[in-house]
């Protein structure tokens, strides 16, 4: 494990030096709030944020991606992205979510590999930023994460007053730190202590959600009328799924003009939408919000446990914070677990 | 407001006891600061007191509850349509009236409890005041002071009146009319509708207007929260989801997104009550209020129609007058 | 595309009973008007869905004309009168967001007005030529 300290104002210098030809992504204060975007200078970066509004999944799995173009009978495949990325500042929960998405986009048997996602992931260095002060809606520790979790990250950074403490947690992270070693100062003992204390404090302040036995519970109560009650407020929009760092459903459609030229695109899709399950016959097996919200919860807390061995929720709290009717997933889980 | 809250609970209890309703729809305390959330009470017992005592009325009851109603009255021969009691502000009620006129909600199945509205707090305005510092607690006093606790443990006292939603400040109908019950109290003074802003926007050069429209639309992620939160967006199948003839693409292509919003706003002609539910629901902060307001103003100006409290008049887009203006017609 | 030899593409939605017959009369009477127009016949101007108009613009059409029977003459008594409300609002909303007012036009042409139709088409073509190709709302694949 390599460690090193830099001053905050040297962050961009470090990232760009180590980057070489890589693109640098970092949190910026954009038109719609905090977002991850390609940056070109230090002053674009903001460190004053709890988390981004949209999860960083869109860096690897964009909302709209052209897969191939066509004109008449000629079909041209779009080359898989080659660009290499450095992503700075994603929170440990979102870093963890990337390991889940990895499982979806490259299944362990190796049968289905998603070249678009994987190419971007392969060439990326993830530098995550430990949370100093988790939000009141955060619950990562209840779903296997931590405000200073290392999973999914190549380097974990602690924010200490005017300095940043870098700590590599993968070979790729170590290589990154080696290439820029001249810029790092030796991490001193009090830096390490401060980081440790900060991590402990953040963790201790987190609310605890008891999800023990939740999977077994929800598997048994699929038909329970309680689902009607807990989903009554749901409006049926897709805000929770689009902001969620682990939601990964997509749709593939063709768009063309009158001349027969066009493209095939992959776009995000949401289990909350009527079109998601509409059959060609006109039959729709999930017609109401109860069924759709149940699917969302079952998928995250049961089906993915069967398929990948993990709960696909990292406790980032975005769905709680941005739900137009404050339909709180913590409440729903608590209610279900008490059944 | 505390006395209003008490009164709402009393009435809810009364209509449950008299078996006038199967459901009650109000607000309860939310799980995040500055938010109350919709709350359904279903009568399993005769007086569900425990649930009724969770009903609240405060400055965070922004959600337009009318949005939940049409689903209950979709035609289903196997089910008897429920009777629903609902506490309403001026905007909620005008949305319900629009739904009644369009036969989406039967008036006889609804028990309306009108609440004089003092305006609701704009969460984003309060948050902006603390520049990213997390708010962990909020409460209000009867004197109109908002007590906010921030993450750093500090307490702040804000004047309620300075953090109201634009829609509430400009609201022309803060007092309900024609409800079955009316909670005693004074509503805020009616606003002027804020149409001066439309005039000012119109006076800008077209390119500037277009840039504004484009900028707002570019934030959109097509999550449909605006449409789903809108009480008068009641179509069972939205044009954006018709597949037999696909009107617009599914992606965030700017042109598709623009057409989605443009047509959605256009479809609200004669229905929109400017409750701003679409704006509040948007997770990305897309602000198209300048355009919803425009359509309301045009409907008023061209057809002398304002979506109000009367269920008698015909919605403007399903009727006409012979003397309607022809002044937009091109002559050779 | 060079503006000098650029010719606008225009779509005209014409009602079956008056305006389409008016266009027919213009043809039979051998009246001259620009060849830029593609006519789409609809049963009544009341059949026009605003989506037809914006879809045309999205697909790269430079100008749209919608025409029906004069008020009072509708084959279906009041189709054009209900449509008139839609059109008035649509025109205002499009202009408001920054689309050129000339881009989308509405008119009334009766079955006996071949002259009016030809003159109207020439006017629309001139208007569109003045403001140039449509760029707003156009989808890139178009």
């Amino acid at each position: 494990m390599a460690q090193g300290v830099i001053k905050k104002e040297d962050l961009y210098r470090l990232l760009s030096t180590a980057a070489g030809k890589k693109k640098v992504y970092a949190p910026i204060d954009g038109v719609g709030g905090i977002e991850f975007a390609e940056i070109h200078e230090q002053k674009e970066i903001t460190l004053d944020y709890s988390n981004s509004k949209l999860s960083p999944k869109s860096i690897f799995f964009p909302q709209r991606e052209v897969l191939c173009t066509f004109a008449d009978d000629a079909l041209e495949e779009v080359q898989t992205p080659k660009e290499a990325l450095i992503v700075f500042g994603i929170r440990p929960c979102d870093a963890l979510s990337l390991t889940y998405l990895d499982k979806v986009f490259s299944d362990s048997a190796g049968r289905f590999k998603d070249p678009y996602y994987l190419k971007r992931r392969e060439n990326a260095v993830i530098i995550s930023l430990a949370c100093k002060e988790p939000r009141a809606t955060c619950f990562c520790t209840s779903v296997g994460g931590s405000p200073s979790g290392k999973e999914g990250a190549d380097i974990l950074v602690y924010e200490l007053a005017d300095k940043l403490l870098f700590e590599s947690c993968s070979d790729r992270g170590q290589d990154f730190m080696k290439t820029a070693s001249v810029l790092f100062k030796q991490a001193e003992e009090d830096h390490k202590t401060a980081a440790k204390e900060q991590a402990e404090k953040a963790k201790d302040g987190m609310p605890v959600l008891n999800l023990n036995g939740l999977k077994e519970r929800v598997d048994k109560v699929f038909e329970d009328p309680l689902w009607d009650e807990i989903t009554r407020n749901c409006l049926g929009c897709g805000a929770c799924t689009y902001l969620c760092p682990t939601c990964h459903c997509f749709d593939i459609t063709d768009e063309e003009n009158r001349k027969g030229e066009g493209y095939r695109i992959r776009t995000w899709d949401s289990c909350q939408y009527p079109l998601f399950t509409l059959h060609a016959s006109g039959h729709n097996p999930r017609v109401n919000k109860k069924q759709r919200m149940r699917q969302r919860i079952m998928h995250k807390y049961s089906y993915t446990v069967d398929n990948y061995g993990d709960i696909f929720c990292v406790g980032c709290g975005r769905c709680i914070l941005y739900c137009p009717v404050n339909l709180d997933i913590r409440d729903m889980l608590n209610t279900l677990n008490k059944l | 407001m505390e006395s209003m809250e008490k009164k709402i609970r009393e009435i809810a209890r009364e209509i449950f006891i008299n078996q006038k309703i199967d459901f009650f729809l109000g607000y309860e305390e939310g799980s995040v600061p500055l938010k109350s959330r919709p709350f359904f009470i279903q009568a399993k017992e005769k007086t569900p007191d425990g649930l009724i005592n969770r009903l609240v009325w405060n400055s965070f009851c922004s959600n337009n509850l009318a949005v939940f109603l049409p689903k209950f009255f979709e035609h289903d021969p196997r089910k008897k349509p429920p009777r629903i009691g609902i506490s309403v502000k001026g905007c909620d009620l005008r949305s319900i009236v629009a739904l009644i006129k369009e036969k989406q909600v039967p008036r006889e199945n609804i028990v309306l409890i009108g609440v004089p509205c003092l305006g609701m707090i704009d969460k984003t305005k309060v948050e902006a005041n603390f520049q990213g510092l997390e708010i962990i607690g909020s409460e209000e006093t009867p004197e109109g002071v908002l007590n906010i606790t921030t993450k750093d443990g500090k307490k702040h006292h804000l004047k309620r009146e300075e953090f109201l939603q634009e829609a509430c400040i400009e609201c022309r109908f803060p007092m309900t009319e024609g409800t079955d019950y009316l909670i005693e109290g004074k509503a805020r003074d009616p606003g002027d509708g804020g149409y001066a802003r439309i005039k000012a926007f119109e006076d800008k050069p077209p390119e500037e207007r277009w840039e504004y429209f484009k900028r707002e639309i570019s934030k959109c992620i097509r999550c449909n929260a605006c449409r789903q939160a809108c009480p008068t967006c009641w179509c069972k199948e939205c044009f954006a989801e018709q597949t037999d003839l696909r009107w617009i693409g599914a992606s965030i292509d700017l042109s598709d997104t623009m057409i989605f919003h443009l047509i959605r706003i256009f479809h609200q002609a004669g229905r929109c009550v400017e409750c701003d539910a679409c704006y509040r629901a948007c997770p990305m902060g897309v602000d198209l209020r300048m355009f919803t307001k425009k359509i309301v103003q045009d409907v008023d100006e061209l057809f002398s129609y304002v979506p109000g409290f009367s269920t008698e008049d015909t919605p403007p887009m399903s009727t006409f007058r012979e003397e309607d203006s022809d002044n937009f017609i091109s002559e050779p | 595309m060079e503006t000098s030899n650029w010719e606008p593409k225009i779509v005209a939605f014409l009602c079956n009973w008056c305006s389409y017959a008016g266009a027919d009369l213009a043809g039979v009477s051998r009246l001259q008007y620009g060849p830029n127009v593609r006519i789409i016949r609809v049963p009544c101007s009341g059949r026009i869905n605003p989506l037809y108009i914006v879809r045309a613009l999205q697909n790269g059409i430079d100008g749209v004309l919608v025409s029906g029977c004069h008020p009072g003459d509708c084959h279906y008594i009041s189709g054009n009168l209900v449509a008139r409300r839609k059109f008035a609002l649509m025109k205002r909303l499009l202009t408001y967001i920054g689309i050129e007012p000339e881009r989308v036009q509405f008119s009334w042409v009766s079955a006996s007005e071949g002259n009016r139709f030809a003159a109207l088409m020439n006017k629309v073509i001139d208007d569109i030529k003045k403001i140039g190709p449509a760029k707003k709302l156009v989808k890139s694949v178009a």
Side-chain angles (χ1 to χ4, degrees):
Chain A
M1 185 180 73
Q3 278 183 321
V5 171
I6 62 156
K7 281 197 179 130
K8 275 185 185 174
E9 63 254 35
D10 294 331
L11 179 58
Y12 182 71
R13 203 151 70 93
L14 167 75
L15 295 175
S16 55
T17 315
K21 280 192 187 124
K22 289 182 175 158
K23 283 185 179 172
V24 179
Y25 275 69
I28 62 159
D29 201 354
V31 259
I34 300 293
E35 57 180 310
F36 287 93
E38 200 186 339
I39 52 150
H40 302 97
E41 52 183 334
Q42 171 76 22
K43 67 169 192 242
E44 287 177 278
I45 308 175
T46 175
L47 290 175
D48 185 20
Y49 66 101
S50 48
N51 207 345
S52 59
K53 203 179 253 185
L54 277 174
S55 84
K57 74 175 173 189
S58 53
I59 299 172
F60 303 103
F61 171 46
Q63 184 165 8
R64 173 185 184 277
E65 174 147 36
V66 179
L67 305 181
C68 65
T69 59
F70 51 83
D72 292 327
D73 291 337
L75 186 99
E76 199 173 328
E77 216 177 310
V78 170
Q79 290 307 305
T80 48
K82 288 225 165 49
E83 83 252 18
L85 305 173
I86 289 181
V87 184
F88 173 85
I90 75 174
R91 293 297 182 184
C93 54
D94 292 337
L96 177 61
S97 79
L98 292 176
T99 67
Y100 296 160
L101 293 183
D102 290 348
K103 293 183 185 178
V104 174
F105 288 111
S106 68
D107 79 334
S108 51
R111 285 172 305 167
F112 309 111
K113 287 196 182 296
D114 186 282
Y116 306 92
Y117 174 88
L118 291 174
K119 206 78 197 169
R120 290 197 183 90
R121 277 287 282 145
E122 266 166 31
N123 293 325
V125 181
I126 306 291
I127 306 175
S128 73
L129 186 59
C131 292
K132 249 195 326 199
E133 291 180 328
R135 288 194 282 223
T137 44
C138 292
F139 58 101
C140 59
T141 52
S142 308
V143 284
S146 153
S148 51
K150 290 178 177 167
E151 242 177 297
D154 296 309
I155 297 171
L156 181 68
V157 178
Y158 295 93
E159 193 187 346
L160 308 167
D162 63 334
K163 293 194 178 61
L164 296 168
L165 170 66
F166 280 60
E167 211 177 274
S168 70
C169 23
S170 76
D171 293 346
R172 197 183 296 176
Q174 201 146 358
D175 290 346
F176 174 95
M177 290 183 66
K178 223 178 271 167
T179 40
S181 56
V182 284
L183 291 168
F184 282 111
K185 285 214 183 74
Q186 184 76 34
E188 281 164 39
E189 215 40 57
D190 49 332
H191 291 140
K192 292 181 201 167
T193 332
K196 205 172 164 202
E197 271 169 20
Q198 195 189 90
E200 288 300 319
K201 197 175 145 228
K203 203 169 177 177
D204 292 344
M206 301 278 291
V208 179
L209 207 59
N210 182 8
L211 301 180
N212 290 337
L214 178 71
K215 180 188 154 39
E216 293 72 29
R217 204 65 55 100
V218 290
D219 282 346
K220 267 187 230 138
V221 297
F222 192 81
E223 298 290 355
D224 198 282
L226 192 74
W227 286 104
D228 278 306
E229 264 169 59
I230 60 174
T231 58
R232 208 162 254 154
N233 276 4
C234 180
L235 293 174
C237 74
C240 48
T241 55
Y242 278 12
L243 298 184
C244 178
T246 70
C247 273
H248 52 262
C249 288
F250 58 79
D251 191 13
I252 294 177
T253 45
D254 288 353
E255 292 184 355
E256 61 179 323
N257 63 16
R258 295 287 167 272
K259 289 175 230 151
E261 306 156 346
Y263 42 68
R264 174 161 294 180
I265 48 168
R266 164 159 91 177
T267 52
W268 290 356
D269 203 352
S270 164
C271 53
Q272 304 303 302
Y273 295 164
L275 277 188
F276 190 75
T277 43
L278 183 67
H279 294 183
S281 65
H283 172 66
N284 196 338
R286 283 187 217 133
V287 284
N288 58 39
K289 58 188 178 188
K290 173 189 86 173
Q291 295 167 332
R292 292 176 193 151
M293 186 48 83
R294 182 174 61 193
Q295 163 64 21
R296 177 169 151 78
I297 291 181
M298 293 296 286
H299 193 184
K300 290 205 177 308
Y301 300 95
S302 171
Y303 307 152
T304 52
V305 179
D306 292 334
N307 294 340
Y308 306 108
D310 289 303
I311 288 179
F312 266 36
C313 169
V314 292
C316 70
R318 285 185 179 90
C319 57
I320 304 168
L321 212 50
Y322 297 105
C323 176
V325 287
N326 187 210
L327 185 62
D328 193 324
I329 196 154
R330 296 170 300 184
D331 293 349
M332 289 196 277
L333 296 176
N334 274 333
T335 315
L336 287 167
N337 219 6
K338 273 188 212 127
L339 257 184
Chain B
M1 284 209 199
E2 237 165 87
S3 64
M4 290 181 170
E5 185 174 289
K6 225 174 110 200
K7 203 78 199 165
I8 293 172
R9 289 179 188 174
E10 267 169 36
I11 296 171
R13 190 169 293 123
E14 182 193 316
I15 51 182
F16 265 122
I17 292 175
N18 298 339
Q19 297 187 335
K20 282 191 186 167
I21 54 168
D22 307 307
F23 280 109
F24 189 84
L25 181 45
Y27 300 91
E28 70 166 338
E29 196 88 40
S31 72
V32 294
L34 302 167
K35 225 169 183 175
S36 295
R37 61 184 172 199
F39 184 50
F40 284 83
I41 303 176
Q42 190 171 10
K44 286 182 185 157
E45 48 203 302
K46 205 169 172 195
T47 47
D49 267 337
L51 296 174
I52 285 174
N53 289 334
R54 272 164 68 183
L55 285 171
V56 298
W57 189 266
N58 51 35
S59 295
F60 316 121
C61 299
S62 310
N63 288 93
N64 189 332
L65 298 182
V67 70
F68 293 104
L69 295 179
K71 272 270 176 286
F72 285 101
F73 303 107
E74 278 177 8
H75 180 68
D76 185 348
R78 292 162 301 179
K79 275 191 214 150
K80 207 172 142 235
R83 296 159 308 158
I84 301 175
I86 179 171
S87 55
V88 289
K89 311 180 285 290
C91 48
D92 308 345
L93 179 58
R94 287 161 66 221
S95 294
I96 295 176
V97 167
L99 292 169
I100 292 171
K101 279 197 262 201
E102 295 181 342
K103 312 259 186 291
Q104 297 306 305
V105 171
R107 174 67 181 90
E108 59 277 13
N109 284 47
I110 304 290
V111 178
L112 294 165
I113 300 163
V115 190
C117 185
L118 292 166
M120 294 294 155
I121 294 292
D122 188 331
K123 194 164 171 268
T124 50
K125 274 191 194 174
V126 180
E127 282 166 351
N129 190 58
F130 296 104
Q131 293 158 356
L133 185 61
E134 194 185 354
I135 296 167
I136 53 168
S138 61
E139 51 172 29
E140 55 177 333
T141 68
E143 292 78 36
V145 178
L146 264 186
N147 293 324
I148 302 287
T149 318
T150 44
K151 189 91 181 186
D152 50 11
K154 288 196 184 114
K155 296 230 187 275
H156 310 261
H157 310 286
L158 308 179
K159 275 198 199 118
R160 179 184 180 282
E161 202 59 27
E162 288 169 11
F163 292 90
L164 291 182
Q165 297 175 17
E166 229 51 49
C168 303
I169 297 169
E170 293 169 350
C171 177
R172 293 183 287 167
F173 306 94
M175 192 69 190
T176 60
E177 282 173 32
T179 51
D180 302 305
Y181 294 87
L182 180 63
I183 303 292
E184 245 173 81
K186 213 172 144 324
R188 57 183 293 108
D189 292 333
D192 64 354
Y195 298 105
R197 287 196 286 130
I198 302 298
K199 183 79 188 59
F201 190 73
E202 259 164 4
D203 289 342
K204 288 182 182 164
E207 288 314 311
E208 210 174 301
R209 299 200 298 265
W210 177 253
E211 284 309 315
Y212 176 85
F213 183 60
K214 208 162 106 180
R215 197 193 69 206
E216 290 305 318
I217 296 289
S218 65
K219 295 185 221 164
C220 176
I221 55 168
R222 296 285 298 273
C223 71
N224 294 334
C226 49
R227 181 187 76 193
Q228 297 304 113
C230 177
T232 40
C233 250
W234 52 259
C235 286
K236 291 189 183 70
E237 186 186 43
C238 179
F239 74 92
E241 273 151 11
Q242 285 176 330
T243 43
D244 205 359
L245 192 164
R246 184 106 213 187
W247 293 106
I248 54 170
S251 77
I252 43 169
D253 180 285
L254 204 54
S255 166
D256 288 328
T257 317
M258 279 175 172
I259 289 177
F260 170 71
H261 286 286
L262 196 59
I263 299 294
R264 196 192 83 77
I265 291 170
F266 186 76
H267 282 176
Q268 289 310 315
R271 300 184 170 120
C272 179
V273 298
E274 298 171 87
C275 67
D276 285 359
C278 46
Y279 166 69
R280 276 191 306 272
C282 180
M284 304 308 290
V286 176
D287 184 358
L288 295 175
R289 294 178 291 178
M290 199 66 102
F291 304 93
T292 45
K293 198 173 260 312
K294 165 73 175 166
I295 209 94
V296 174
Q297 191 203 23
D298 279 351
V299 167
D300 187 8
E301 207 175 289
L302 291 167
F303 317 130
S304 319
Y305 180 92
V306 179
F309 298 111
S310 160
T311 50
E312 297 302 313
D313 45 0
T314 319
M317 302 316 283
S318 42
T319 183
F320 61 88
R321 282 200 207 100
E322 273 172 30
E323 61 275 17
D324 280 340
S325 170
D326 246 349
N327 66 4
F328 64 96
I329 290 292
S330 296
E331 296 295 333
Chain C
M1 206 180 284
E2 289 286 317
T3 328
S4 51
N5 51 23
W6 165 76
E7 284 292 333
K9 275 193 215 113
I10 293 168
V11 163
F13 293 101
L14 306 181
C15 87
N16 180 46
W17 304 97
C18 293
S19 299
Y20 191 80
D24 203 20
L25 181 63
V28 172
S29 317
R30 306 195 172 196
L31 300 172
Q32 293 287 317
Y33 62 88
N36 309 58
V37 192
R38 279 80 165 159
I39 292 174
I40 297 176
R41 181 163 61 152
V42 291
C44 174
S45 50
R47 178 66 187 91
I48 297 296
N49 182 335
L51 273 162
Y52 294 175
I53 299 167
V54 286
R55 279 275 291 168
L57 295 176
Q58 187 180 34
N59 280 308
I61 294 299
D62 301 303
V64 177
L65 172 75
V66 178
S67 180
C69 309
H70 284 274
D73 292 350
C74 180
H75 184 79
Y76 305 103
I77 316 295
S78 59
N80 59 355
L81 295 176
V82 177
R84 180 162 63 180
R85 290 203 155 186
K86 267 192 277 186
F87 298 162
L89 278 180
M90 191 71 194
K91 177 106 183 172
R92 284 193 177 200
L93 187 60
L94 287 175
T95 311
Y96 186 74
I97 65 165
I99 307 272
E100 305 83 350
E102 295 85 357
R103 197 68 75 192
V104 178
Q105 304 197 26
F106 301 91
S107 194
W108 313 124
V109 174
S110 82
S112 61
E113 291 177 322
N115 280 320
R116 180 179 161 92
F117 181 80
L120 182 68
M121 280 331 305
N122 282 331
K123 173 199 146 47
V124 173
I125 294 165
D126 280 353
D127 282 349
I128 303 295
K129 278 187 174 163
K130 261 179 228 151
I131 57 173
K135 293 207 175 68
K136 294 162 183 167
L137 286 180
V138 182
K139 196 167 169 175
S140 57
V141 71

